[in-house]
Amino acid sequence: MTPQLLLHYLAHCFIKMEQIALLIFDECHYAQLDRDHPYAQIMKIFYKVGLVKLPRIFGMTASPKLGKGGSIDGLEAIMHSKMCTLEDKDEVEQYVTSPKAIAYEYGSTEKSFWRPLMVYTTKLEEIKDKCMLALGDNKVDQSTRKLLQKLHSDMIFCLENLGIWGALQATYISLVGDNYETAELVEAEISCSDSDSWKKYLHEVSSILASDCTRGGLEADISCIEVLEEPLFSAKILRLIEILSSFRIITARSLSRILQNLKVLSSWKCDFLVGVHSGHMSQKHTVTILEKFRSGQLNLLVATKVGEEGLDIHTCSLVIRFDLPETLASFIQSRGRARMPQSEYAFLVDRRNLKEVNLIQQFIEEEALMNLEISSRKCRLQITDFEEKTYKVDITGATISSVMSVPLLHRYCSTLPRDEYFNPKPEFLYHDHPDGNICSLVLPTNAPVHQFVSTPQPSKEAAKRDACLKACQALHEVGALTDYLLPEQDVNHEDLDLSDSDNEDELHQMLVPAALRVPWTEEENICSFSCYYVKFNPIPADRTYRKFALFVKEPLPDEAGNLTLDLCLSHGRMMKTQLIPSGESDILIKQIALAEKFQKMYLKVLLDRHEFQSEYLSLEDNNVLESNSSTFYLLLPVVEPEQDRFSVDWTLIRRCLSSPIFKHRSSDVEDNICQITGHLHLANGYTSLNDTLNSLVYLPCKNTFFFISDILAETDAYSSYNDSKSHVEHYSELYDIHLQYPYQPLLKAKPFFLLDNLLRKKRQSGEWREKVEYFVNLPPELCELKIIGFSKDIGSSLSLLPSLMHRLESFLVAIELKAKLSASFTEGAAVTTNRILEAITTERCTENFSLERLEVLGDAFLKFAVGRHLFLKHDVLDEGQLTRKRSNIINNHNLLKLAKLKNLQVYIRDQTLEPCKFFAFGRPCPLICYEETEKSIHPQSFVKKNGAKFEVRCNKSHHWLHKKTIADAVESLTGAFIVDSGFKAAIAFLNWMGIQVDFSPSQTDVICSMSKAFLRHADLMDVSALEKILGHEFTHKGLLIQALVHPSFNNFGGCYQRLEYLGDAVLDYLVTSYLYTRYPELKPGQLTDLRSMSVCNLSFADVAGRRSIHKFVICDSSALRESMAKYVNEIGDSVSETEHAEERTYPKVLGDLVESCMGAILLDTGFNLNYLWKIMLSLLDPVVNTSKMQFNPLRELRELCQSYNWDLQFSKLKKDCEFLVEAKIDNAEFSQHACVSNISGNTAKRMAARQLLEHLKAQGHSSKSTSLKDVIKQSKRQEAMLIGYDEVPSIPQVVEVQHPRRPLPLQHLMEANVQENGCSKDHLFNASDADPHRAGASSSLNARSRLNNICTAKHWKPPVFDCFGETGPDHLKQFIYKVLLQIAGKQNEEFEFIGEPRLKKKDAAENAAEGVLWYLKNEGHIG
């Protein structure tokens, strides 16, 4: 573990010091009292003597003294340890040898070498000044100035240390990256700079350097020995080449390139090594380089200081210091790399510099003194606690120091919302003070707090840390940092858990309704049942159905007792079915036994009819009530009601149960008995005509069951089977059956049906059509009689009952859920049972309804309600934090957790009716499930059956539920409450679920009152003109101004992003409501796609451009204004019918403005959605009007490829600030592609998709599915309505805000801070005696501070103050100061300003500075 990582864990309380038993510090010399290394931070802040349990400390180092301030005493004190060393070094030498240290001198003997270098230096300075002069004073140009200065310094350094050719290689590396991304050297600065300027500088420099390098063919053959001379190569480089041939970052890369191209060093395989934090090398690449060096693929590494320690570099035989070590520690550490026998440690020293020549001897002597000090030390360890300025959170124990606060603050700023025109980062301004330095910290405008001023500190860095620590404390106090002192992150459980293919489903028990779980007992002779007549109304009436009734032990709830449903039959027919309560029926125990057998009989016929193929079938079951049935009900045939009461048709039941198959035959019937009058000879004996008619028979040769509906007395087996043969001939030829009784009358028979799920969605033909019943004629002797009296009308009714009971079970579950909700909160009764049923039924059930449309609506409302609650509750958090907080509440992971806490998963209906898995009383589930057998019975890996998931059913109704389905049920139930009752009921449901969405009008009052701070910008825009465009006159005009303030506008606090967050949420709901009601038959997926197109940023950007809202933006970015103007001009010039809006490059800010304006109106009206609905319809007509909508070609292309089973691939390449995207279809039989470039990767992808789609259509390819555009054209349309809004808006009132967010001007804030520290304003800002005509006389900042700030902002060299003269007698001596200032762009001309004499040196310097400011203002350098 790295020390930085351990410090991070300790600071944010992921690990506590007490949990560590032993701490081992490698290279522990970094733990110095006066340094801020993580080692020192760990020991000073977290290793407290007062802790109950402290870890043991073990540190290792070869150089205990680090730098000039390092001391052994300090190292022992901070490590709470005693320094020890080996007394006998010979023992170490047995394992590790010390290299021989040699100094190789270099130095030019010709003065002529320096002349060309001076010439090149002058030329480079001129190029830099010319580039600087072309830059302005905006933020981009200031960043470019800084970048140019850094590049220029690097080039001069390389020129002096490597020579002309080395400097040329440095320019190439900076331009093309040397196999790395362009200009990685300054990647951090490039994002906010003008690339043309710094590239122009590098090109001109390389051109000048290359002009000399190509002379004599040098560029063509760098390996020639003849070219190894000055000034093309520096003396230092030439000496290095000599050493290798006989035995800074950009500098390392350039040096590596030089050595790689020299033939004289061809035996050396070279590469470079730099630190990971430099941005030039990843951790992975570093490991690769070291592995190559270890394996011998490389034998020469050119490394920066990173090579001294910390990396596992293979033992070397030669270490050369190109740059000399600065400290004893650096000397010892780098020497330690040369550990092979007879290894060499070489220095390159300038022979003209005696200090360098004597450096080795100096380090050796210092090392000897250090070792002597260590060996002669006595233990004087003193246990002390170090006082560090920290901030600690008492709840968690998280602690940060002022040192740690700086990177934490930068990390926080990196989480703030940004766009291409605004990069949030802290700004630091430094000011002089009699007691030290003061740092003024300004946070980005979209941060919740903005300005902080440090107390006077001895250094600028200390002042910066003090200000950052204050800022971190304030950010934590307002909730911007968590109690672990970290920026709140969006833990995307949805992406991690719910989309994990190995863990996407959970096993849950499906609820069996209580009304069907009540068994009957045999304790009394008579048992009372609640009876419900099942009324069948076929459309058309082309069949007869036997009357049936449902009998349950306890009465059903009223809604269930009057259930109505439509069953879908074949050929577009419909069966309207209804339960009619028919009172109570008393049934004798003996009759119950018959009823149980009858139900068991017909369930076997329906679902297990193969059991009837045998001669005997038993219906006896001594443990019926103790079976594994989960439901208890009887479906029995009934006769016409008597006095409105249906009675069971016991005659039919007894007749069916008297069938021969349920009895053991006492004797065999002889085949040669003469035919008995009134009987038929069947395959299993003689049977009367009465028993044969309306019975169920089995035909073994066809393995089919038939209902006998008539006996055709006028026919026999010699009757025509078809036009060419008789029945006798047919069965003889096809089945080799020779009929023995051909003269018997034929039987008119209807084949037994296959049970089907009649709840499935079926395509409607538009009209009901009769279906002619299909009959066949059968010879009696081939039929086996199975059930007497089991007619086709009984079969027709029984085919409907499983579907009826499946729906009834689901409906009863919905009733139980509604009862649970009603008992939990009063608004729970407001939703209908049918809506609850829709909200808990998934698409897998394949019914005519599902939860998905409600889920789309509930999802939009949840986003709005939670977003509104958080917006009002956290009035200082930025849009990014609000979005993360909302995401953590409404993401599927959290909804899943909340749903399971309320046990909602047991109510979800996620299984379609599969006839083979229909279990009821009389046909219990054969799989008995126990807790210990759950996993073996229900493996998570499903068996695929016909492309669908196949699940095992058990007696406990376990089923696998997708995690997301459970989460979706929360959203669908929310949608159900909205549709049936409204916002109030939906909010009550969410509160019950544990999702707080309440708010009070007083919160709105506070937010609106806080917007008054933006009124000071009213003169920057025409408020009334914008109000006319929006169609709303604001009560709180500060809200409208805030809605147009871009974060690039440096107003020390506040921008449109919070309002954008609110507007985005409300528009999402309004548009969803519009589409939900406008297209009632649109499928959920289509509804979601249409909503995505409607509320996308591009749609809103188009609205903003056409309404000219961009003209009112308040920003400090000229690039943003140009980008908006360009886009608006494009849409103004385009023809809407032919232009594709989604393929234009547009600034996201435009779309954001529409959302922020909607958020402002929503707040100003007290969340009056009815009012906002009307504004949306008028303002956002292109968004909600599908005829004007541009459809995304990506979806249509994907659907087309899927229909042809083509493999569609996209590839993206970024080159020269543009994205090149190729859409490609490359199959064995077909190939097509389209390639497009654009500055936006997404835009290029859409354009490529459209081009490819047009190519395919031109070739005659079309999708087999209807496109979304065509679906919308054909969809039924209704008048759009706002769904569910029933809140009473409360117009916000102006209230006094206790802590207004309006920031103080920076100078006032500093004054207040100084006065708190006991200093007067005059001591800090001594400019009261400045002449009124002098520049800056009105400012309270002193002139020296303002001059320093100006130079810093313009990237000029700091001004030099020099007291060069005195005047007057000794007792009235006055001092004269002059200021030396070099202004960039003035050909490096140095200006000298002389001030007036003053009695105090400080006043004299101030006077001179005021003169400089006056000059700069008059010359136009400052405003």
Side-chain angles (χ1 to χ4, degrees):
M1 181 184 297
T2 63
Q4 186 60 55
L5 194 58
L6 177 60
L7 178 61
H8 176 80
Y9 288 159
L10 290 170
H12 303 295
C13 222
F14 300 147
I15 295 176
K16 294 186 177 181
M17 188 63 79
E18 299 94 312
Q19 297 173 305
I20 302 172
L22 174 63
L23 266 178
I24 301 176
F25 292 96
D26 189 21
E27 312 293 357
C28 67
H29 52 267
Y30 284 109
Q32 298 290 338
L33 285 173
D34 59 342
R35 293 179 179 264
D36 301 318
H37 191 273
Y39 281 166
Q41 291 282 297
I42 290 170
M43 296 305 297
K44 288 193 285 187
I45 299 172
F46 300 103
Y47 196 89
K48 297 297 182 181
V49 178
L51 294 177
V52 177
K53 183 180 178 183
L54 285 172
R56 302 291 296 274
I57 303 296
F58 179 70
M60 299 178 292
T61 180
S63 50
K65 286 188 176 182
L66 181 67
K68 295 180 180 179
S71 69
I72 296 176
D73 288 339
L75 187 60
E76 286 186 337
I78 199 170
M79 296 289 290
H80 295 270
S81 306
K82 182 182 181 302
M83 183 75 68
C84 299
T85 186
L86 290 174
E87 295 181 0
D88 186 4
K89 290 188 178 181
D90 295 336
E91 186 177 350
V92 180
E93 293 289 343
Q94 296 177 11
Y95 303 96
V96 180
T97 59
S98 296
K100 181 181 179 182
I102 302 175
Y104 290 93
E105 296 181 357
Y106 70 90
S108 177
T109 58
E110 301 179 9
K111 293 184 178 180
S112 58
F113 166 72
W114 294 103
R115 292 197 186 100
L117 288 185
M118 293 175 65
V119 172
Y120 280 110
T121 301
T122 303
K123 289 181 179 180
L124 265 59
E125 288 282 354
E126 291 175 354
I127 296 172
K128 182 203 72 171
D129 290 340
K130 184 173 67 173
C131 293
M132 289 278 196
L133 195 60
L135 299 175
D137 289 332
N138 57 48
K139 287 187 176 180
V140 174
D141 287 344
Q142 289 178 12
S143 179
T144 306
R145 229 184 238 104
K146 181 179 178 182
L147 180 58
L148 276 172
Q149 187 62 51
K150 187 177 190 311
L151 282 171
H152 178 70
S153 299
D154 288 338
M155 295 305 109
I156 296 298
F157 181 83
C158 291
L159 189 64
E160 294 174 351
N161 285 269
L162 303 179
I164 298 174
W165 202 80
L168 177 63
Q169 303 311 305
T171 62
Y172 292 159
I173 290 170
S174 298
L175 279 170
V176 300
D178 193 23
N179 297 326
Y180 294 89
E181 290 187 13
T182 302
E184 277 186 34
L185 173 67
V186 286
E187 187 68 31
E189 301 293 338
I190 288 176
S191 60
C192 57
S193 65
D194 181 5
S195 61
D196 291 339
S197 296
W198 61 263
K199 285 184 178 179
K200 179 181 178 182
Y201 169 80
L202 289 174
H203 280 301
E204 291 193 18
V205 170
S206 63
S207 176
I208 290 176
L209 296 177
S211 64
D212 281 345
C213 288
T214 53
R215 294 173 186 172
L218 173 62
E219 191 70 7
D221 189 7
I222 182 62
S223 60
C224 297
I225 292 293
E226 291 79 7
V227 303
L228 298 180
E229 59 183 16
E230 300 178 84
L232 297 178
F233 293 93
S234 69
K236 196 173 185 180
I237 284 286
L238 295 175
R239 190 67 169 115
L240 173 63
I241 295 171
E242 182 182 340
I243 296 171
L244 292 174
S245 59
S246 62
F247 175 143
R248 286 183 122 118
I249 295 171
I250 195 163
T251 308
R253 296 179 65 180
S254 302
L255 182 56
S256 173
R257 177 174 285 193
I258 292 171
L259 299 178
Q260 286 173 345
N261 286 278
L262 290 173
K263 280 187 178 179
V264 70
L265 303 179
S266 58
S267 61
W268 293 98
K269 306 177 192 69
C270 178
D271 209 333
F272 70 93
L273 191 67
V274 297
V276 174
H277 296 294
S278 68
H280 290 266
M281 186 168 289
S282 65
Q283 185 69 44
K284 181 179 179 181
H285 189 61
T286 300
V287 173
T288 302
I289 293 294
L290 293 176
E291 182 57 38
K292 287 182 178 181
F293 190 66
R294 192 177 295 111
S295 64
Q297 297 180 53
L298 298 174
N299 57 8
L300 178 61
L301 278 184
V302 181
T304 59
K305 289 181 67 175
V306 71
E308 290 183 3
E309 56 186 327
L311 293 178
D312 184 18
I313 298 179
H314 187 64
T315 303
C316 309
S317 59
L318 173 63
V319 173
I320 304 175
R321 291 295 308 232
F322 190 78
D323 292 329
L324 296 177
E326 297 175 356
T327 64
L328 175 61
S330 177
F331 170 81
I332 295 174
Q333 295 294 336
S334 56
R335 184 187 62 186
R337 293 299 185 187
R339 294 173 181 167
M340 293 184 69
Q342 299 180 349
S343 57
E344 187 175 311
Y345 180 46
F347 280 38
L348 289 174
V349 298
D350 189 346
R351 62 168 58 92
R352 296 163 300 179
N353 190 327
L354 292 178
K355 184 177 179 181
E356 290 187 9
V357 173
N358 299 326
L359 194 61
I360 293 180
Q361 188 60 35
Q362 177 186 336
F363 281 142
I364 292 174
E365 292 174 359
E366 288 181 6
E367 183 180 16
L369 289 174
M370 180 185 68
N371 292 333
L372 179 62
E373 180 183 353
I374 294 172
S375 60
S376 61
R377 285 178 63 81
K378 295 183 179 179
C379 183
R380 42 182 144 169
L381 181 61
Q382 295 181 353
I383 305 299
T384 57
D385 272 339
F386 300 94
E387 293 298 327
E388 285 283 306
K389 193 169 185 179
T390 61
Y391 175 66
K392 181 178 181 180
V393 181
D394 294 332
I395 299 175
T396 60
T399 306
I400 59 169
S401 66
S402 59
V403 174
M404 298 157 61
S405 67
V406 178
L408 176 59
L409 192 64
H410 280 278
R411 179 180 176 184
Y412 166 75
C413 289
S414 70
T415 66
L416 292 172
R418 66 186 61 215
D419 57 35
E420 59 267 41
Y421 310 102
F422 169 66
N423 181 25
K425 56 184 179 181
E427 295 184 10
F428 302 94
L429 299 174
Y430 301 96
H431 313 278
D432 294 335
H433 185 271
D435 297 331
N437 297 273
I438 285 182
C439 175
S440 301
L441 165 63
V442 181
L443 292 182
T445 56
N446 52 356
V449 288
H450 303 104
Q451 300 164 338
F452 299 91
V453 178
S454 71
T455 55
Q457 299 293 329
S459 67
K460 289 184 177 180
E461 185 62 28
K464 175 181 179 180
R465 292 170 180 175
D466 184 68
C468 287
L469 188 62
K470 289 182 178 181
C472 289
Q473 179 177 349
L475 288 170
H476 171 252
E477 290 171 350
V478 300
L481 294 179
T482 67
D483 286 337
Y484 291 93
L485 295 179
L486 287 169
E488 187 169 10
Q489 297 296 316
D490 181 13
V491 183
N492 200 339
H493 297 287
E494 182 174 352
D495 291 342
L496 295 175
D497 294 349
L498 303 194
S499 61
D500 184 355
S501 59
D502 296 330
N503 193 29
E504 63 181 7
D505 298 299
E506 292 180 339
L507 188 65
H508 293 288
Q509 186 170 352
M510 189 163 54
L511 179 68
V512 177
L516 301 183
R517 293 202 306 265
V518 183
W520 47 84
T521 62
E522 300 180 358
E523 296 176 357
E524 300 178 359
N525 291 329
I526 297 178
C527 191
S528 180
F529 286 82
S530 293
C531 176
Y532 297 88
Y533 169 59
V534 183
K535 182 180 179 180
F536 299 123
N537 182 22
I539 302 176
D542 57 352
R543 301 284 190 280
T544 57
Y545 294 86
R546 187 64 180 240
K547 293 181 175 61
F548 268 77
L550 170 67
F551 296 86
V552 290
K553 189 67 181 67
E554 298 291 340
L556 298 177
D558 291 342
E559 285 186 279
N562 293 277
L563 176 68
T564 61
L565 73 153
D566 296 335
L567 301 177
C568 301
L569 307 180
S570 61
H571 287 252
R573 299 177 300 135
M574 180 68 68
M575 176 63 73
K576 291 190 172 297
T577 311
Q578 181 181 3
L579 290 183
I580 301 176
S582 303
E584 292 190 354
S585 295
D586 295 332
I587 304 179
L588 298 172
I589 293 300
K590 293 181 178 180
Q591 292 174 325
I592 291 176
L594 291 175
E596 291 172 352
K597 289 183 179 180
F598 180 79
Q599 182 155 309
K600 185 174 184 179
M601 175 200 73
Y602 72 68
L603 288 174
K604 285 184 179 293
V605 173
L606 288 174
L607 303 166
D608 306 306
R609 67 190 63 166
H610 63 277
E611 296 184 25
F612 281 84
Q613 295 176 4
S614 62
E615 293 185 1
Y616 172 73
L617 178 64
S618 174
L619 297 177
E620 298 295 333
D621 189 352
N622 296 326
N623 298 310
V624 173
L625 292 178
E626 298 177 5
S627 67
N628 299 306
S629 179
S630 56
T631 57
F632 294 88
Y633 59 82
L634 295 170
L635 286 165
L636 303 174
V638 293
V639 295
E640 291 293 338
E642 298 177 1
Q643 299 178 352
D644 296 329
R645 299 174 71 90
F646 286 87
S647 59
V648 180
D649 190 348
W650 296 112
T651 302
L652 174 62
I653 291 176
R654 290 189 178 92
R655 189 177 183 214
C656 291
L657 294 177
S658 67
S659 301
I661 193 172
F662 305 124
K663 302 177 182 178
H664 287 287
R665 300 180 63 180
S666 56
S667 61
D668 295 330
V669 180
E670 298 295 334
D671 289 339
N672 58 359
I673 296 179
C674 296
Q675 182 174 349
I676 303 175
T677 304
H679 286 69
L680 291 175
H681 191 290
L682 303 184
N684 54 346
Y686 282 95
T687 306
S688 68
L689 294 176
N690 187 45
D691 287 347
T692 304
L693 188 63
N694 293 323
S695 64
L696 182 71
V697 301
Y698 172 63
L699 192 66
C701 64
K702 293 187 176 182
N703 191 26
T704 307
F705 289 84
F706 293 89
F707 296 106
I708 305 300
S709 63
D710 196 5
I711 300 175
L712 305 176
E714 304 299 326
T715 63
D716 58 27
Y718 288 106
S719 299
S720 174
Y721 177 80
N722 54 33
D723 295 339
S724 60
K725 62 181 71 174
S726 65
H727 288 80
V728 173
E729 294 170 333
H730 170 74
Y731 285 102
S732 175
E733 293 176 4
L734 190 61
Y735 300 104
D736 195 25
I737 296 176
H738 303 283
L739 299 179
Q740 301 296 317
Y741 306 96
Y743 294 103
Q744 292 190 108
L746 297 178
L747 305 179
K748 184 180 180 181
K750 178 181 178 180
F752 201 106
F753 56 84
L754 292 176
L755 192 63
D756 193 13
N757 177 7
L758 306 180
L759 299 171
R760 284 198 181 105
K761 290 184 286 188
K762 290 184 171 61
R763 294 182 179 178
Q764 301 296 335
S765 59
E767 296 180 358
W768 309 119
R769 294 182 297 157
E770 291 189 7
K771 180 185 178 184
V772 178
E773 288 189 275
Y774 174 71
F775 291 96
V776 296
N777 297 334
L778 301 176
E781 64 182 278
L782 299 181
C783 301
E784 295 180 2
L785 180 65
K786 294 303 179 181
I787 303 178
I788 298 172
F790 202 79
S791 59
K792 67 181 181 67
D793 59 334
I794 295 177
S796 296
S797 297
L798 290 176
S799 68
L800 309 175
L801 296 180
S803 297
L804 168 67
M805 294 310 300
H806 184 82
R807 171 62 61 79
L808 179 61
E809 284 192 36
S810 298
F811 195 75
L812 288 169
V813 168
I815 289 175
E816 290 192 27
L817 177 55
K818 179 181 177 180
K820 178 177 181 177
L821 297 174
S822 302
S824 302
F825 53 97
T826 56
E827 295 86 352
V831 66
T832 63
T833 305
N834 281 320
R835 197 71 67 188
I836 292 284
L837 178 60
E838 180 183 352
I840 61 175
T841 304
T842 69
E843 191 69 20
R844 283 188 64 195
C845 295
T846 64
E847 299 211 23
N848 288 314
F849 55 84
S850 74
L851 60 79
E852 293 193 8
R853 273 181 64 91
L854 288 175
E855 184 250 329
V856 172
L857 185 65
D859 170 71
F861 177 79
L862 193 60
K863 177 181 177 181
F864 165 66
V866 173
R868 177 176 63 176
H869 170 78
L870 294 174
F871 179 88
L872 296 174
K873 179 181 178 182
H874 305 285
D875 59 354
V876 297
L877 295 190
D878 64 81
E879 176 212 359
Q881 288 179 301
L882 291 174
T883 301
R884 286 189 288 271
K885 282 182 177 292
R886 181 178 64 192
S887 176
N888 290 335
I889 293 174
I890 68 175
N891 66 31
N892 283 339
H893 184 274
N894 189 56
L895 295 183
L896 169 68
K897 180 183 70 175
L898 296 176
K900 290 167 69 173
L901 288 174
K902 297 297 183 181
N903 206 31
L904 289 184
Q905 71 277 6
V906 303
Y907 299 95
I908 297 175
R909 315 304 287 177
D910 192 48
Q911 292 181 339
T912 185
L913 170 62
E914 297 181 52
C916 63
K917 296 179 182 178
F918 178 76
F919 300 112
F921 187 87
R923 188 178 185 261
C925 181
L927 276 178
I928 314 301
C929 192
Y930 301 102
E931 187 175 351
E932 56 272 15
T933 61
E934 279 183 8
K935 292 184 179 179
S936 59
I937 292 178
H938 302 280
Q940 190 169 0
S941 55
F942 301 114
V943 178
K944 294 286 184 178
K945 186 176 182 180
N946 298 328
K949 289 183 176 180
F950 181 81
E951 294 186 49
V952 176
R953 303 282 174 88
C954 71
N955 66 314
K956 289 188 176 180
S957 301
H958 282 127
H959 65 149
W960 286 100
L961 265 182
H962 198 296
K963 291 179 180 179
K964 187 177 182 300
T965 300
I966 303 174
D968 289 346
V970 178
E971 296 174 332
S972 63
L973 285 169
T974 304
F977 277 101
I978 293 171
V979 173
D980 277 358
S981 182
F983 280 19
K984 293 180 181 178
I987 289 173
F989 168 71
L990 292 175
N991 287 335
W992 174 74
M993 285 296 303
I995 301 174
Q996 297 301 315
V997 293
D998 286 330
F999 74 99
S1000 66
S1002 62
Q1003 292 175 303
T1004 311
D1005 295 343
V1006 171
I1007 296 289
C1008 292
S1009 298
M1010 289 165 59
S1011 69
K1012 290 191 299 182
F1014 290 90
L1015 291 175
R1016 66 184 187 273
H1017 305 311
D1019 57 339
L1020 299 178
M1021 61 179 286
D1022 190 342
V1023 174
S1024 59
L1026 183 56
E1027 287 178 329
K1028 289 179 181 179
I1029 293 175
L1030 298 177
H1032 172 70
E1033 185 175 350
F1034 278 79
T1035 303
H1036 301 84
K1037 298 190 185 296
L1039 289 172
L1040 179 58
I1041 298 172
Q1042 180 183 357
L1044 274 296
V1045 175
H1046 186 261
S1048 65
F1049 181 62
N1050 191 14
N1051 66 333
F1052 301 114
C1055 64
Y1056 69 68
Q1057 289 176 344
R1058 277 177 52 86
L1059 291 176
E1060 174 209 343
Y1061 162 85
L1062 184 63
D1064 168 69
V1066 71
L1067 281 176
D1068 195 59
Y1069 180 75
L1070 293 179
V1071 173
T1072 301
S1073 181
Y1074 178 93
L1075 299 175
Y1076 187 94
T1077 55
R1078 181 69 167 164
Y1079 304 100
E1081 296 178 356
L1082 210 60
K1083 294 180 180 179
Q1086 297 166 341
L1087 188 66
T1088 302
D1089 291 339
L1090 193 57
R1091 180 181 66 175
S1092 298
M1093 286 189 292
S1094 300
V1095 299
C1096 69
N1097 191 268
L1098 173 61
S1099 300
F1100 294 149
D1102 186 72
V1103 172
R1106 296 186 188 278
R1107 300 279 183 171
S1108 299
I1109 297 177
H1110 68 287
K1111 295 180 180 179
F1112 302 90
V1113 175
I1114 302 174
C1115 69
D1116 281 341
S1117 173
S1118 58
L1120 172 58
R1121 293 190 183 279
E1122 292 172 3
S1123 179
M1124 290 190 297
K1126 180 181 178 182
Y1127 175 77
V1128 172
N1129 290 334
E1130 286 179 358
I1131 62 176
D1133 297 338
S1134 66
V1135 181
S1136 59
E1137 298 296 328
T1138 59
E1139 291 290 332
H1140 303 299
E1142 77 277 1
E1143 295 175 6
R1144 301 190 194 102
T1145 302
Y1146 67 99
K1148 178 181 177 295
V1149 175
L1150 275 176
D1152 295 343
L1153 293 176
V1154 173
E1155 294 174 332
S1156 63
C1157 287
M1158 292 298 104
I1161 296 174
L1162 183 67
L1163 275 173
D1164 195 56
T1165 58
F1167 294 98
N1168 188 340
L1169 262 66
N1170 283 328
Y1171 184 85
L1172 195 64
W1173 171 264
K1174 296 176 183 177
I1175 290 181
M1176 181 200 74
L1177 293 180
S1178 62
L1179 185 67
L1180 306 184
D1181 178 69
V1183 172
V1184 295
N1185 190 338
T1186 55
S1187 64
K1188 301 179 182 179
M1189 192 175 296
Q1190 293 288 342
F1191 290 83
N1192 194 330
L1194 281 169
R1195 179 184 179 89
E1196 188 176 353
L1197 178 61
R1198 289 194 178 102
E1199 290 177 350
L1200 178 62
C1201 293
Q1202 288 174 2
S1203 63
Y1204 285 93
N1205 199 24
W1206 291 336
D1207 183 23
L1208 174 64
Q1209 294 180 344
F1210 287 93
S1211 61
K1212 182 165 66 174
L1213 177 67
K1214 186 175 182 182
K1215 185 177 181 181
D1216 296 332
C1217 299
E1218 283 199 348
F1219 290 92
L1220 183 67
V1221 176
E1222 182 184 26
K1224 185 177 182 181
I1225 299 172
D1226 191 7
N1227 288 6
E1229 302 176 355
F1230 183 78
S1231 179
Q1232 190 67 262
H1233 78 282
C1235 195
V1236 174
S1237 63
N1238 193 277
I1239 59 174
S1240 168
N1242 290 332
T1243 301
K1245 186 175 183 179
R1246 287 192 295 266
M1247 294 172 66
R1250 185 176 295 282
Q1251 284 190 15
L1252 183 56
L1253 184 63
E1254 291 173 353
H1255 291 334
L1256 295 174
K1257 287 182 176 180
Q1259 296 174 6
H1261 300 287
S1262 60
S1263 177
K1264 298 176 183 178
S1265 59
T1266 308
S1267 68
L1268 179 58
K1269 190 174 184 179
D1270 292 334
V1271 167
I1272 293 173
K1273 288 181 179 179
Q1274 301 165 10
S1275 294
K1276 174 184 176 182
R1277 301 190 183 195
Q1278 295 181 172
E1279 183 181 356
M1281 297 187 304
L1282 174 60
I1283 306 176
Y1285 179 65
D1286 57 357
E1287 297 175 334
V1288 179
S1290 175
I1291 303 301
Q1293 303 298 317
V1294 177
V1295 297
E1296 290 297 326
V1297 183
Q1298 293 294 326
H1299 300 286
R1301 289 184 62 192
R1302 178 174 178 175
L1304 291 171
L1306 184 60
Q1307 61 191 46
H1308 294 167
L1309 188 66
M1310 289 183 59
E1311 293 169 12
N1313 183 77
V1314 172
Q1315 290 171 0
E1316 288 175 6
N1317 287 283
C1319 300
S1320 69
K1321 172 181 174 181
D1322 290 338
H1323 284 145
L1324 180 60
F1325 309 114
N1326 190 11
S1328 59
D1329 57 341
D1331 294 335
H1333 67 276
R1334 292 281 178 89
S1338 60
S1339 173
S1340 57
L1341 286 178
N1342 64 37
R1344 291 183 65 184
S1345 296
R1346 281 183 281 125
L1347 180 58
N1348 277 306
N1349 289 344
I1350 290 169
C1351 293
T1352 301
K1354 291 182 174 293
H1355 301 286
W1356 297 347
K1357 291 183 178 179
V1360 178
F1361 288 83
D1362 180 26
C1363 182
F1364 78 101
E1366 300 176 1
T1367 183
D1370 291 341
H1371 65 286
L1372 290 175
K1373 184 178 293 185
Q1374 291 183 313
F1375 302 93
I1376 303 174
Y1377 261 76
K1378 69 178 179 180
V1379 182
L1380 301 177
L1381 181 65
Q1382 193 175 83
I1383 302 176
K1386 295 286 187 178
Q1387 300 299 322
N1388 284 338
E1389 185 177 352
E1390 193 170 65
F1391 293 83
E1392 184 178 284
F1393 302 88
I1394 300 176
E1396 297 176 356
R1398 290 290 185 270
L1399 291 175
K1400 295 181 180 179
K1401 287 185 177 181
K1402 179 180 176 183
D1403 293 343
E1406 185 73 6
N1407 183 268
E1410 288 171 355
V1412 179
L1413 293 176
W1414 176 85
Y1415 173 80
L1416 294 176
K1417 182 175 182 179
N1418 280 273
E1419 290 294 317
H1421 293 288
I1422 60 175

